[in-house]
Amino acid sequence: MSSPEAASLVRRRSTILARFGHEVNWGDFVFRRATAFVALFVIVALLAMALAMGRSSQVSLAKFGLGFVFSRDWDPVHESYGALPFIYGTVVSSLLALALAVPISLGVAIFLSELAPKWLRGPVAFTVELLAAVPSVVYGLWGIFALAPWLRDTVEPLLAKFFGFLPLFQGPTRGYGMLAGGIVLAIMITPTISSVSREVLRAVPGALREGALGLGATPWEAVRFAVLPYARSGLVGATVLGLGRALGETMAITMVIGNRTEISTSLFAPSYTMASVIANEFTEATGQLYLSSLAEIGLLLFLVTVLLNVVARLLVWRVGRLPEGGRL
Amino acid sequence: MSRRQETTAQSSAQSPASEPPTENGSKPRWDELSVSKIVPKMRTEGLHAHFGSSEVLRGISLPIADKQVTAVIGPSGCGKSTFVRCLNRMHEVVPGARASGQVLLDAQDIYHRDVDPVRVRRRVGMVFQKPNPFPTMSIRDNVLAGLRLNGVRYGNPDAVVEQALQRVALWDEVKDILGRAGTSLSGGQQQRLCIARSLALEPEVLLMDEPCSALDPIATARVEELIHELRMLYTIVIVTHNMQQAARVANFTAFFYLGKLIEYDRTDVIFTRPKEQRTEDYITGRFG
Amino acid sequence: MLDAYRRRKVTDLLVRGACVLAAVMAVIPLGSVLFYVAERGISGLNWAFLSELPKPVGETGGGMANAIVGTLKLVGLACVFGIPPGVLAGVYLAEFGHSRFGGVVRFCADVMSGVPSITVGIFVYSLIVLTTKHFSAWAGGVALAVLMLPTVTRTTEELLKLVPESLREAALGLGVPKWRATLRVMLRTAAPGIATGVMLAVARVAGETAPLLFTAFNNRFWSSGVDEPTASLPVNIYTYAVSPYEDWHAQAWAAALVLLIMVLLLNISARLLVRNRVGAR
């Protein structure tokens, strides 16, 4: 067996190495800098994204300014563009989705982390996670052929019959519309909110729970009075994350929301979201102003979701950590 | 500088020399003592070690005798692990840790500016407290790991593996299961595997940081037996919190306390007629 | 006293019931989706679907062979563009990332993971499609890679940090330089876990439609190489579903079935990988 070059321990440190870093050998020097360069790439990618969107929207930003956000016009023929119908559609459908998804997600999260027997936890958790695995476009397909007809034939007539005095439930029941969009979004954001909530609940120190139980509280009371107050900001964060996800969702909602630039108070009426108009019209857009307006809508969407994401993570971070892997 | 020195084993040939008088009550230097005839493979001079701002070793000057077993004993926190990790420049791997002073390997200071720690570690191997075979590798690959990861060319891999495992008395136990994962063995076997892995690189010095503290008594006995056999070929430094172990395996013992070297001498002297009060207190169990 | 106690017990039971109801309601849509896809998808799934190209608009018959291949091509490109940078960035964060720079990288990765996929499409459109003046598969691959990047990075970082330091010490003790110890011991040990995370990321990305709409676009014929517009299953599902043709609707379901099988297989095998590892040790 040949022995390593044991003769000399000394390796004259190259002057380059000595000047630029602490490393003693080239391998470590290159390794650190090469991986740092790639890591830098992550930052560059994000900045490039923001910049590219800004640049693409320049024309319409210059032409319409702030009025873009408040204008209801969307008229390619007369070159007048305003984002209000889409902002309305996006916000309302997302809020509706939250209203439906938050109680269910929290219920699931509490069920899984506090109330469920051990043997049930695995399968139920797995099923909820599987909800997240189904691609958006498949939900859209199901929405078109399963959900919308069901809404049109069963649910919406019922709602109109009993609650028709509310402006929310008036108008023709086509199946496609805000309600369908809200429901589909709710299904899609449930796994997000529930998994983050579960992590938050798990991060609550067990001592709090046990203390309450030791005082004679029922399991629900222990959750309500000991766990939830502690986890509150984290749960709000989970909700905000779900909101961010709902705002950015594209395919499923495009397929069921009707895609009409109307602003109506009824949930039965069709609507149009920011992501949907981009998806539908981007490749057909003629003219720079048209394209730029669509890009500006994208920019708005980008900024809002980034902001919500940051706020959400700050809130969650105060209580626990997010599930590994990032994309929620 | 040849790797295996010409000096012969000198454990039994020492006769106690008369001790020169000390000045100002300072502790006698090691080379003035009865151990002065030993030839050190390694030597530290004024070795200081820090973790951040706290000083863990305060000026250690100590020889490590060639082809002998030197034990480092002392209560927890006395710096013995730190000392041993300075001998192969592992100490500085921890962020915020630094060392100063000299550590001589065959009269070459390994802490010199121009010395590459990686090269030091190929001549001074280390076995850790908790056995750490690589979980993704088989027993066979574990033994060869040091050679492969360093790109060292070796002859017939099977011969290399067999020789290394024979040397740690593990060959008969695993020769039919070489393909199994390194972590599938018992604790004692894993530790011997780690020793084989280190030995495959043919180091000159083997450092052992409490190698038996995670093992059961039977495995411990086998490792101690192993140390006894390896002594002929390698210089060994063993850190142990078990005084009986030091008495069993070591030729020389150094007693550390609160980062200082209190006493260093032949093992039988340390355990029967220690010169320092604190040494005596420790070995009689007055503090732990 | 007894009354109050009973009231509390009832509340507890009601809430438990509500939570169970919530869990059931969360699971029902999944059941419905799976049922519809299975039922309608199977009837549309035939050999023609898997092997033929689409017929001209209005004619019945034909298939989506090019879309199936297209999806595989796009996912493959996404892996090529997304996995190496992701893993290397993750290695950096795990080894050297305790600085401010590391914090910024982590922050950007987290933010990127929440960006709507359609904006990634616009980004890649302006970056690549506008400059090359045509839609292409590799543009689609880049868009999908951007979606995968944050996940792969964070997964690599987390998993690398889980590898016990004792293994690194063992390698260093053998005189292995730090960088080689990281790559050949630490990364190698973390590899199964990282593979799992990557598989999950790939499963997510395989079903993405929006970013492909303006990058890979679509193609009714075979696309050769990576520089042409490419058909993909998700985009086809969308196009066929919103069309007025019954036959196309049936094909959309079949495509959804194929896509769902792909995605579920990836998902389930990724999770089995984790479970097996944990059991075996």
Side-chain angles (χ1 to χ4, degrees):
Chain A
M1 204 188 322
S2 60
S3 60
E5 329 80 48
S8 173
L9 297 169
V10 171
R11 174 194 259 159
R12 249 254 95 90
R13 261 178 84 181
S14 136
T15 37
I16 306 176
L17 273 186
R19 248 236 303 174
F20 287 111
H22 299 292
E23 290 86 0
V24 184
N25 61 55
W26 275 108
D28 288 337
F29 184 80
V30 169
F31 180 66
R32 183 179 180 136
R33 278 145 194 79
T35 49
F37 179 71
V38 177
L40 181 66
F41 195 67
V42 172
I43 303 179
V44 166
L46 186 64
L47 285 178
M49 222 186 287
L51 276 173
M53 310 217 55
R55 229 165 40 120
S56 313
S57 348
Q58 239 170 9
V59 176
S60 67
L61 273 171
K63 177 121 198 255
F64 300 116
L66 201 59
F68 187 72
V69 173
F70 299 107
S71 157
R72 294 173 71 141
D73 272 340
W74 188 260
D75 192 350
V77 176
H78 295 109
E79 296 250 292
S80 170
Y81 301 104
L84 194 61
F86 314 111
I87 297 179
Y88 176 81
T90 306
V91 169
V92 173
S93 62
S94 303
L95 288 178
L96 178 60
L98 274 188
L100 293 171
V102 167
I104 294 186
S105 308
L106 280 184
V108 170
I110 294 177
F111 176 73
L112 285 175
S113 75
E114 315 279 333
L115 304 172
K118 280 222 157 63
W119 58 270
L120 199 54
R121 276 185 203 179
V124 173
F126 178 69
T127 318
V128 175
E129 272 164 36
L130 221 49
L131 270 175
V134 175
S136 165
V137 72
V138 173
Y139 278 122
L141 183 65
W142 172 80
I144 293 180
F145 294 112
L147 181 67
W150 181 62
L151 287 179
R152 180 191 61 216
D153 299 331
T154 316
V155 177
E156 289 183 358
L158 267 173
L159 286 171
K161 191 154 120 178
F162 290 114
F163 301 105
F165 55 91
L166 290 169
L168 276 180
F169 302 111
Q170 290 169 358
T173 62
R174 289 192 208 92
Y176 298 107
M178 189 70 88
L179 185 61
I183 293 179
V184 159
L185 278 186
I187 296 174
M188 295 180 69
I189 65 176
T190 296
T192 305
I193 302 181
S194 79
S195 75
V196 176
S197 299
R198 263 184 82 197
E199 289 296 318
V200 167
L201 288 175
R202 213 189 306 204
V204 175
L208 279 175
R209 215 174 273 124
E210 285 163 16
L213 290 174
L215 287 170
T218 64
W220 161 239
E221 285 168 353
V223 169
R224 180 167 164 212
F225 294 114
V227 176
L228 285 184
Y230 186 94
R232 195 184 7 227
S233 63
L235 294 176
V236 170
T239 308
V240 174
L241 269 171
L243 177 62
R245 178 99 161 71
L247 292 178
E249 182 45 53
T250 313
M251 298 322 294
I253 195 156
T254 307
M255 288 158 96
V256 300
I257 202 163
N259 301 329
R260 288 255 288 273
T261 57
E262 288 177 18
I263 297 186
S264 159
T265 47
S266 167
L267 289 180
F268 299 161
S271 186
Y272 217 161
T273 67
M274 294 160 82
S276 306
V277 67
I278 300 174
N280 281 330
E281 304 188 8
F282 199 76
T283 44
E284 315 280 312
T286 50
Q288 225 196 6
L289 191 59
Y290 196 175
L291 212 57
S292 171
S293 304
L294 287 169
E296 187 176 342
I297 293 181
L299 178 66
L300 284 170
L301 201 56
F302 176 76
L303 290 174
V304 169
T305 45
V306 166
L307 189 66
L308 281 177
N309 216 288
V310 171
V311 167
R313 283 173 196 271
L314 285 173
L315 286 171
V316 172
W317 183 66
R318 278 174 53 196
V319 182
R321 279 174 62 241
L322 288 174
E324 258 91 62
R327 188 159 182 92
L328 298 157
Chain B
M1 194 120 13
S2 65
R3 206 152 46 91
R4 307 226 186 276
Q5 303 251 3
E6 295 296 290
T7 48
T8 50
Q10 38 219 298
S11 37
S12 43
Q14 294 291 336
S15 50
S18 57
E19 305 184 356
T22 61
E23 304 145 13
N24 313 323
S26 61
K27 269 191 276 297
R29 281 175 42 95
W30 62 269
D31 47 292
E32 296 158 4
L33 301 174
S34 57
V35 300
S36 60
K37 291 245 177 42
I38 58 167
V39 180
K41 177 71 173 170
M42 296 187 74
R43 196 155 65 90
T44 70
E45 290 281 356
L47 177 64
H48 290 261
H50 293 78
F51 279 112
S53 55
S54 69
E55 189 175 24
V56 180
L57 289 180
R58 305 163 201 271
I60 309 285
S61 301
L62 181 67
I64 306 292
D66 186 33
K67 300 251 193 2
Q68 307 285 303
V69 180
T70 305
V72 180
I73 62 173
S76 348
C78 66
K80 47 192 202 288
S81 275
T82 309
F83 172 72
V84 144
R85 290 167 67 97
C86 285
L87 294 181
N88 69 348
R89 294 197 61 171
M90 282 291 283
H91 171 70
E92 66 217 43
V93 165
V94 174
R98 62 182 203 284
S100 60
Q102 283 192 322
V103 176
L104 303 172
L105 172 64
D106 288 332
Q108 240 185 338
D109 181 15
I110 64 174
Y111 273 93
H112 189 269
R113 236 169 23 102
D114 290 334
V115 168
D116 186 0
V118 164
R119 294 190 183 198
V120 173
R121 296 181 200 135
R122 292 193 207 159
R123 291 177 63 187
V124 181
M126 189 158 201
V127 173
F128 300 86
Q129 189 168 349
K130 195 165 163 298
N132 48 20
F134 297 126
T136 55
M137 298 188 200
S138 65
I139 295 174
R140 188 173 183 277
D141 289 336
N142 258 286
V143 174
L144 295 172
L147 297 165
R148 285 209 184 124
L149 289 171
N150 279 320
V152 174
R153 237 171 286 144
Y154 47 90
N156 180 3
D158 295 314
V160 171
V161 171
E162 182 171 345
Q163 183 182 36
L165 290 174
Q166 289 272 22
R167 216 177 278 177
V168 299
L170 198 56
W171 174 250
D172 288 324
E173 290 167 50
V174 304
K175 63 178 187 250
D176 297 321
I177 51 169
L178 288 178
R180 272 207 224 151
T183 39
S184 63
L185 302 173
S186 75
Q189 290 172 321
Q190 285 188 26
Q191 190 64 302
R192 278 181 286 151
L193 176 61
C194 291
I195 298 175
R197 182 177 63 186
S198 291
L199 293 183
L201 279 171
E202 301 256 324
E204 299 158 40
V205 180
L206 189 61
L207 306 173
M208 306 179 100
D209 187 357
E210 303 205 33
C212 302
S213 56
L215 306 180
D216 63 75
I218 297 180
T220 300
R222 300 190 73 174
V223 172
E224 287 182 9
E225 228 178 271
L226 183 56
I227 295 176
H228 213 74
E229 291 162 20
L230 292 176
R231 185 180 39 170
M232 315 288 185
L233 298 168
Y234 307 96
T235 302
I236 298 182
V237 182
I238 175 168
V239 172
T240 178
H241 62 262
N242 181 339
M243 286 179 285
Q244 288 78 20
Q245 182 170 81
R248 283 192 294 264
V249 304
N251 305 104
F252 298 93
T253 301
F255 170 59
F256 277 50
Y257 182 64
L258 292 182
K260 282 181 124 74
L261 170 64
I262 304 298
E263 190 167 348
Y264 168 79
D265 213 321
R266 298 163 50 97
T267 306
D268 51 348
V269 172
I270 290 274
F271 281 102
T272 54
R273 355 178 250 284
K275 295 190 180 61
E276 295 288 326
Q277 183 60 42
R278 253 182 302 206
T279 315
E280 182 169 341
D281 287 344
Y282 180 68
I283 61 176
T284 54
R286 238 170 258 155
F287 64 93
Chain C
M1 269 92 39
L2 216 64
D3 225 2
Y5 180 68
R6 197 176 307 148
R7 213 180 331 127
R8 284 168 58 205
K9 268 230 113 169
V10 167
T11 317
D12 186 69
L13 263 126
L14 277 177
V15 171
R16 273 182 200 255
C19 287
V20 171
L21 187 65
V24 168
M25 284 183 68
V27 168
I28 285 183
L30 180 69
S32 177
V33 170
L34 291 179
F35 172 75
Y36 268 88
V37 171
E39 187 203 41
R40 299 205 184 178
I42 287 188
S43 54
L45 200 63
N46 49 43
W47 187 241
F49 176 81
L50 292 174
S51 60
E52 288 182 26
L53 285 177
K55 285 259 179 7
V57 178
E59 281 185 38
T60 56
M64 283 201 197
N66 58 346
I68 298 177
V69 170
T71 289
L72 292 172
K73 201 190 287 186
L74 287 166
V75 167
L77 285 168
C79 288
V80 166
F81 290 131
I83 298 181
V87 169
L88 285 176
V91 167
Y92 176 81
L93 285 178
E95 296 289 305
F96 312 107
H98 11 266
S99 58
R100 231 173 21 149
F101 175 65
V104 173
V105 172
R106 236 173 252 124
F107 174 78
C108 287
D110 286 342
V111 166
M112 263 217 297
S113 68
V115 164
S117 55
I118 196 154
T119 43
V120 173
I122 301 181
F123 166 55
V124 176
Y125 173 84
S126 59
L127 196 69
I128 299 182
V129 178
L130 277 185
T131 30
T132 59
K133 303 229 191 318
H134 61 260
F135 300 110
S136 58
W138 69 276
V142 168
L144 295 181
V146 169
L147 288 174
M148 275 178 75
L149 188 66
T151 310
V152 174
T153 303
R154 288 306 240 129
T155 304
T156 305
E157 181 193 359
E158 303 285 330
L159 251 10
L160 212 47
K161 281 187 179 160
L162 282 180
V163 179
E165 277 300 301
S166 61
L167 291 179
R168 194 202 305 270
E169 292 216 314
L172 290 176
L174 291 168
V176 177
K178 235 198 222 181
W179 66 273
R180 222 184 269 151
T182 304
L183 286 180
R184 294 187 61 182
V185 173
M186 306 294 275
L187 195 57
R188 185 173 161 174
T189 311
I194 296 178
T196 305
V198 166
M199 280 171 78
L200 290 174
V202 168
R204 243 175 259 134
V205 136
E208 283 286 347
T209 320
L212 296 178
L213 290 175
F214 345 117
T215 48
F217 198 58
N218 207 338
N219 197 329
R220 302 198 62 73
F221 307 101
W222 292 109
S223 53
S224 60
V226 296
D227 209 24
E228 291 180 17
T230 309
S232 57
L233 282 173
V235 171
N236 268 12
I237 296 175
Y238 172 59
T239 316
Y240 280 32
V242 300
S243 75
Y245 311 114
E246 279 272 347
D247 183 56
W248 278 20
H249 296 166
Q251 289 196 33
W253 283 110
L257 180 62
V258 173
L259 186 61
L260 207 54
I261 290 178
M262 267 169 59
V263 165
L264 286 181
L265 270 177
L266 274 169
N267 246 287
I268 294 179
S269 42
R271 287 175 209 275
L272 281 180
L273 237 176
V274 174
R275 216 164 293 171
N276 271 344
R277 256 189 344 123
V278 172
R281 291 267 167 267

